[in-house]
Amino acid sequence: MDFQVPDFSLVLPELFLLGMACLLLLVDVFIDDAHRRVSFRIAQGTLLGTALLTYMQMGGPEQIGFSGTFVRDDMGSVLKIAVLLATATGFLYARDYLRDRNLFRGEYYVLGLFAVLGMMVMVSAGSLLTIYLGLELLSLCLYALVAFDRESGTSAESAMKYFVLGALASGMLLYGISMIYGATGSIDLETIRAAIGERDAGNLVLVFGLVFLVVGVAFKLGAVPFHMWIPDVYQGAPTSVTLFVGSAPKLAAFALAMRLLVDGLENLQADWQQMLIVLSVLSMGLGNLLAIAQTNIKRMLAYSTIANVGFLLLGLLAGTPEGYAAAMFYTITYVIMVCGAFGVVIYLSQAGIEADSLDDFKGLNKRNPWLAVLMLLVMFSTAGIPPLVGFYAKLAVLKAIIDVGLVWLAVAAVVFSIIGAFYYLRIVKLMYFDDPTSDAEIEGSLDTRVVLSANGLAVAVLGILPGWLLGICAAAIG
Amino acid sequence: MGFEKFLFYLFAAILVFAALRVITVRNPVHAALFLVLAFFNSAVLWLLLEAEFLAIVLVLVYVGAVMVLFLFVVMMLDVNVAPMREGFIHYLPVGIVIGLIMVLEMGLVVGSDFFDADHFAAVAAHPADFSDTKELGGLLYTQYVLPFELAAVILLVAIVAAISLTLRRRPGTKHQAPAQQVLVRSQDRVRLVQVDSEEKQ
């Protein structure tokens, strides 16, 4: 048997993360509740250390290791760093929230780190098997995190719903994988790509498998009509978990779509383009329209996520490197905005109070002007108002689909964005023109305040100077 | 039709029947038992494919361990299925239409000549001393070492998640703390109090 020992330096960040997660699991047993901050610090140190290791790997050509099951390329590295930083930010925002609600347990960070490991594996997957395992690792951790608040009935209910629908989606994905395997005789993405190149694109078995793969991806992204879980999970989960579910996994889901549809099945682009067009238009339409009717900010942001996923799919379905880069830019900036928005919601939720209703934002300007400014920046950016980063993200995506001649789709996207602007601007109106319903002091620790401010300002700075991140995305895809 | 083909169709038919019964019988214990039957028949199908190790592991692990545990849980929980079947008739027409469309599509795809046996080269016969256990082990620890380790991590996460969701220390329960019992000192237990004797009046 000819066998070469795989190059373990390729998975150094993943190995470090896994080792530290296991270490945290052990350390956490021996510290009491008064010193729980140690777990938090280990988790943050692990995330930043892994990001550093990933950064050191960056550059150079694509490397394939572990008999084709693992791919290291620049797109993967950039997405991994974004995942790690988004998670670290989310952990920081969540710390005081968890402590106030008696949820400050080590398992939160252990499960979080394992979820990040799952995302990193998905991002770097070179075969359908690794994609599936990474996805399951991520999903299992998320199910448990959504149900983390054991006292809450709504948490348990939403976790159950998420679990059942997630299992169904995994089943669909596996069925699609089995069809693709049947048609190409391989689970290796590169071999699949080569095998499809030789056959005609309209192969019935391949398209049949593709449908199921697209369903699986659409479920993980939360595109209509596979979006049912998003509003319930966002509303039912503790806000800190909602922040986590809504931010980093979107990057992983984008990577999932890139690996499956672009790396593996690019020759079927004509087929999946049509499917993505349907998903995208439905998501933008339904997401934006239903978000208007919401009175709960977490639920509103859930529908806003669905609408934004529609936009993200636009970039993917363009099927050009520019489109992929635009979609990647859109995903990363969207995650920054989600972190900011949920960061403010968590910051507002003081001990014993859950600030998840739109009314909690009334008169925020009078209670805490700086927090209102941060929320204003994030909301304007998500609505796509220049010169904030959300505008450039939408512009890049629209340009990519106009370049491939889908002008009607761009027009529809713009119309839905204008409808969507209503509910983002309503938050701004509530903050600046209404009277506060409570005058309770809004308190938070210094490090949270600093990072939240940086997060809000990043939306503005990246909007004025988008070239840097756009350049990174274009280089990573190209 | 060769004998092998006959065996395949026989066991495949029992498998499909058992799988159908799993979701149609009313009694959950019967459903679990039909699942056992389904596992057995898939194990036989694997035997026909000369995957002896996988077939035996399927019986040992799924039938021997997982399903027995499942049966215990089902028997102890005393699930009342009647409320869960509410609305069944209501959703039935939609379900039948969608199910029929999916069966039709699957039939078209799987029945297409793409999967005809003559498109694929026949599997080479293995010598009598061929060990698929050895082959499997070799592949797991070389070519598929990364997915193998990931599967291990998933199992670890399952343990962590299950324990963190269910283990709780309720305040006020009267359980023993052996560590404290061992560490206790006599002066913690007995307090000698000097009481002056009083004269009888």
Side-chain angles (χ1 to χ4, degrees):
Chain A
M1 181 188 275
D2 58 328
F3 168 66
Q4 286 181 321
V5 176
D7 181 7
F8 279 93
S9 68
L10 279 182
V11 290
L12 196 61
E14 282 83 359
L15 280 180
F16 174 72
L17 182 65
L18 174 62
M20 289 301 284
C22 293
L23 185 77
L24 176 58
L25 195 59
L26 283 179
V27 170
D28 188 67
V29 177
F30 293 102
I31 49 180
D32 52 3
D33 279 339
H35 297 89
R36 201 58 75 193
R37 267 170 173 267
V38 176
S39 306
F40 169 74
R41 291 205 184 111
I42 294 178
Q44 294 292 61
T46 307
L47 289 173
L48 297 180
T50 314
L52 191 68
L53 285 173
T54 314
Y55 179 73
M56 279 157 48
Q57 276 191 337
M58 247 174 85
E62 182 185 67
Q63 291 163 291
I64 296 177
F66 289 92
S67 316
T69 52
F70 190 89
V71 179
R72 194 221 66 79
D73 55 7
D74 276 357
M75 182 192 87
S77 295
V78 171
L79 285 174
K80 278 184 205 171
I81 292 175
V83 163
L84 290 161
L85 292 183
T87 311
T89 316
F91 278 1
L92 177 68
Y93 292 161
R95 186 191 56 204
D96 295 345
Y97 178 92
L98 292 172
R99 203 175 39 211
D100 292 342
R101 278 154 192 79
N102 218 5
L103 296 174
F104 200 48
R105 305 203 304 265
E107 292 88 19
Y108 185 86
Y109 297 109
V110 173
L111 289 172
L113 289 184
F114 277 124
V116 171
L117 180 66
M119 289 187 251
M120 290 177 73
V121 169
M122 266 165 83
V123 167
S124 280
S127 89
L128 296 173
L129 188 59
T130 345
I131 284 184
Y132 177 71
L133 287 172
L135 186 64
E136 282 304 296
L137 185 54
L138 167 67
S139 305
L140 264 183
C141 295
L142 290 186
Y143 303 145
L145 281 175
V146 170
F148 202 69
D149 186 2
R150 295 182 302 207
E151 314 294 319
S152 159
T154 49
S155 280
E157 187 195 325
S158 59
M160 198 64 206
K161 192 165 183 181
Y162 190 20
F163 179 68
V164 172
L165 288 177
L168 195 67
S170 293
M172 294 273 189
L173 193 71
L174 274 183
Y175 192 69
I177 287 176
S178 75
M179 280 292 154
I180 299 287
Y181 175 69
T184 60
S186 174
I187 53 169
D188 189 61
L189 286 175
E190 209 147 287
T191 322
I192 290 175
R193 186 195 182 93
I196 294 176
E198 297 156 12
R199 294 157 198 256
D200 59 331
N203 185 315
L204 196 61
V205 179
L206 278 175
V207 176
F208 191 66
L210 177 68
V211 171
F212 284 94
L213 289 189
V214 169
V215 169
V217 172
F219 178 85
K220 291 300 159 192
L221 275 169
V224 179
F226 309 103
H227 66 289
M228 311 301 191
W229 60 277
I230 288 209
D232 291 340
V233 169
Y234 274 42
Q235 190 183 3
T239 312
S240 61
V241 177
T242 310
L243 164 60
F244 185 56
V245 173
S247 57
K250 293 286 174 261
L251 292 162
F254 168 75
L256 173 74
M258 284 297 287
R259 294 282 179 218
L260 276 178
L261 300 181
V262 180
D263 282 5
L265 304 169
E266 191 163 28
N267 293 318
L268 295 177
Q269 201 249 343
D271 293 302
W272 53 255
Q273 186 180 46
Q274 293 169 355
M275 302 177 198
L276 293 194
I277 287 178
V278 174
L279 291 176
S280 166
V281 171
L282 284 177
S283 302
M284 287 189 294
L286 204 75
N288 279 321
L289 289 175
L290 287 180
I292 293 174
Q294 306 306 321
T295 55
N296 179 301
I297 179 117
K298 282 157 82 179
R299 221 176 160 78
M300 190 204 93
L301 287 172
Y303 282 105
S304 142
T305 299
I306 297 171
N308 278 291
V309 163
F311 240 99
L312 188 165
L313 288 174
L314 285 183
L316 275 179
L317 66 85
T320 55
E322 293 78 38
Y324 303 145
M328 188 169 160
F329 181 73
Y330 196 93
T331 317
I332 293 176
T333 54
Y334 175 69
V335 166
I336 296 175
M337 293 185 271
V338 165
C339 283
F342 277 110
V344 174
V345 176
I346 292 179
Y347 196 86
L348 276 178
S349 306
Q350 301 288 316
I353 315 162
E354 205 66 39
D356 57 359
S357 145
L358 286 186
D359 288 341
D360 290 313
F361 281 82
K362 276 186 180 167
L364 185 62
N365 183 40
K366 287 182 186 129
R367 293 169 67 196
N368 191 333
W370 180 236
L371 205 57
V373 168
L374 294 178
M375 192 66 178
L376 170 102
L377 285 174
V378 171
M379 285 295 120
F380 273 4
S381 174
T382 324
I385 292 171
L388 298 168
V389 70
F391 169 72
Y392 284 100
K394 285 191 161 60
L395 190 70
V397 167
L398 290 177
K399 186 170 169 301
I401 52 166
I402 290 175
D403 282 350
V404 293
L406 292 164
V407 180
W408 68 271
L409 202 56
V411 172
V414 170
V415 169
F416 285 130
S417 301
I418 293 170
I419 297 173
F422 169 76
Y423 57 88
Y424 298 120
L425 295 181
R426 183 171 57 186
I427 301 272
V428 175
K429 179 235 168 204
L430 288 174
M431 289 192 303
Y432 282 89
F433 299 105
D434 285 15
D435 289 324
T437 48
S438 108
D439 50 358
E441 194 82 0
I442 305 168
E443 291 168 340
S445 55
L446 180 69
D447 47 359
T448 314
R449 280 206 302 262
V450 170
V451 175
L452 191 57
S453 304
N455 192 335
L457 290 178
V459 171
V461 172
L462 281 175
I464 296 164
L465 305 164
W468 173 71
L469 190 58
L470 268 174
I472 289 181
C473 292
I477 299 285
Chain B
M1 191 159 73
F3 183 59
E4 201 173 323
K5 220 171 185 179
F6 167 74
L7 280 182
F8 170 77
Y9 279 114
L10 176 69
F11 288 113
I14 301 177
L15 171 61
V16 172
F17 166 76
L20 267 179
R21 293 301 283 165
V22 172
I23 53 169
T24 49
V25 287
R26 287 188 173 277
N27 188 329
V29 177
H30 291 176
L33 288 173
F34 271 114
L35 198 54
V36 170
L37 183 63
F39 280 138
F40 254 115
N41 283 286
S42 12
V44 173
L45 293 187
W46 270 351
L47 270 184
L48 289 176
L49 285 173
E50 297 187 11
E52 295 91 357
F53 178 73
L54 287 178
I56 289 170
V57 164
L58 185 71
V59 172
L60 282 183
V61 175
Y62 273 87
V63 179
V66 177
M67 286 318 292
V68 169
L69 196 69
F70 224 86
L71 270 177
F72 271 123
V73 174
V74 167
M75 284 182 196
M76 285 185 180
L77 277 183
D78 187 27
V79 188
N80 188 3
V81 275
M84 292 183 201
R85 287 177 186 269
E86 268 174 21
F88 181 72
I89 298 293
H90 183 72
Y91 295 114
L92 193 61
V94 186
I96 286 183
V97 170
I98 293 178
L100 271 182
I101 292 175
M102 285 190 76
V103 167
L104 209 69
E105 284 178 340
M106 284 183 187
L108 277 177
V109 171
V110 179
S112 68
D113 55 357
F114 184 87
F115 283 122
D116 261 6
D118 10 316
H119 288 303
F120 301 95
V123 182
H126 296 299
D129 61 346
F130 180 80
S131 161
D132 70 327
T133 317
K134 202 171 152 188
E135 287 293 309
L136 206 65
L139 275 182
L140 273 186
Y141 288 100
T142 55
Q143 196 177 346
Y144 292 103
V145 68
L146 184 74
F148 183 64
E149 295 298 330
L150 279 173
V153 175
I154 291 178
L155 288 181
L156 176 66
V157 166
I159 298 172
V160 174
I163 293 178
S164 82
L165 287 183
T166 51
L167 180 75
R168 58 180 81 203
R169 294 195 181 81
R170 287 191 191 80
T173 50
K174 294 192 168 85
H175 60 275
Q176 287 186 319
Q180 294 194 339
Q181 287 178 332
V182 172
L183 286 173
V184 81
R185 295 167 304 174
S186 58
Q187 54 262 45
D188 296 336
R189 285 267 169 90
V190 183
R191 191 161 60 95
L192 293 177
V193 183
Q194 191 70 45
V195 182
D196 293 331
S197 55
E198 286 183 25
E199 294 290 319
K200 222 176 208 174
Q201 288 173 349

